[in-house]
């Protein structure tokens, strides 16, 4: 599970945030982490990271490069868990530029475990609240990991199921079409109720056949949607960080 808080998550804003929103979020976080206010050993490091976040996100060129680096990081996380190489849309020029900007991207991020450690040591919350936060963070991490594994497994099973359905049904498809044409002729000649009375099981069988065939065509689309980097990022990483912030009372 990717547990790193990028500049946006550190400030508590969306990637679409305006400069005004970023500036306001920066001020709110510095009220909490400024070394003159927060006497923890991690406060200076957090203040530095917040200043870095502000400097990058308020500069259009730096922010553009940083956004590209985040997309690349999403793809790396995606490849790690799905075993797939996602074709990315960057040009070689963008990639080379991004690589120079992101050699130390991991150093620019704060892990939620760092934040949890400092929360447990220096937060003024009562001990029962800290214990609940600690338990909550571990539970949400396990939950997000479990969701990730279940959905990846479902995606692969969907692809496998689609291949089985289409490989079997494709051979029977011409015969099913002939039977369907025959049933349509009977319905036109005798009426729907009469046909269902005399050939009900056959009609139901044909309906099930085409339903499964359509399902076989739809399953790969569903699998690709589940295993897309954007969905992967929103469902797993964003949910993980959002639940974590809720557990420790992280104030945006």
């Amino acid at each position: 599970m990717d547990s790193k808080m990028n500049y946006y998550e550190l400030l508590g804003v969306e990637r679409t945030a305006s400069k005004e929103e970023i500036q306001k979020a920066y001020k709110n976080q510095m009220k909490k982490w400024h070394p003159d206010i927060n006497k923890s050993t991690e406060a200076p490091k957090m203040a530095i990271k917040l200043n870095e976040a502000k400097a990058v996100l308020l500069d259009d060129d730096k922010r553009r490069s940083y956004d590209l680096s985040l997309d690349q990081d999403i793809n790396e996380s995606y490849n790690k868990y799905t075993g797939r190489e996602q074709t990315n849309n960057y040009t070689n020029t963008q990639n080379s530029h991004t690589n120079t900007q992101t050699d130390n991207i991991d150093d620019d991020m704060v892990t939620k475990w760092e934040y949890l450690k400092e929360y447990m040591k220096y937060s003024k919350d009562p001990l029962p609240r800290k214990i609940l936060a600690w338990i909550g963070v571990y539970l949400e991490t396990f939950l997000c990991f479990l969701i990730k594994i279940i959905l990846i497994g479902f995606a692969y099973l969907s692809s496998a199921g689609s291949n089985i359905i289409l490989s079997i049904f494709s051979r029977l498809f011409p015969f099913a079409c002939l039977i369907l044409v025959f049933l349509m002729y009977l319905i036109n000649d005798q009426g729907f109720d009469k046909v269902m009375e005399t050939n009900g099981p056959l009609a139901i069988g044909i309906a099930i056949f085409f339903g499964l065939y359509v399902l076989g065509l739809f399953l790969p689309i569903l699998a690709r949607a589940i295993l897309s980097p954007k969905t992967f990022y929103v469902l797993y990483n964003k949910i993980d960080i959002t639940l974590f912030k809720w557990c420790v009372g992280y104030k945006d």
Side-chain angles (χ1 to χ4, degrees), residues 168-210:
I168 295 174
F169 282 37
S170 292
R171 299 170 185 174
L172 301 175
F173 191 77
F175 300 103
C177 288
L178 289 175
I179 296 174
L180 179 62
V181 170
F182 173 69
L183 288 173
M184 294 299 293
Y185 169 77
L186 289 180
I187 290 173
N188 184 62
D189 184 56
Q190 302 176 13
F192 180 80
D193 291 339
K194 182 65 175 178
V195 171
M196 289 302 296
E197 183 180 338
T198 57
N199 297 281
L202 180 61
I204 293 173
I206 289 298
I208 293 174
F209 176 91
F210 281 102

Side-chain angles (χ1 to χ4, degrees), residues 137-149:
V137 169
Y138 278 88
L139 285 178
E140 66 85 8
T141 299
F142 175 74
L143 174 64
C144 289
F145 177 79
L146 190 61
I147 291 174
K148 177 180 291 185
I149 296 303

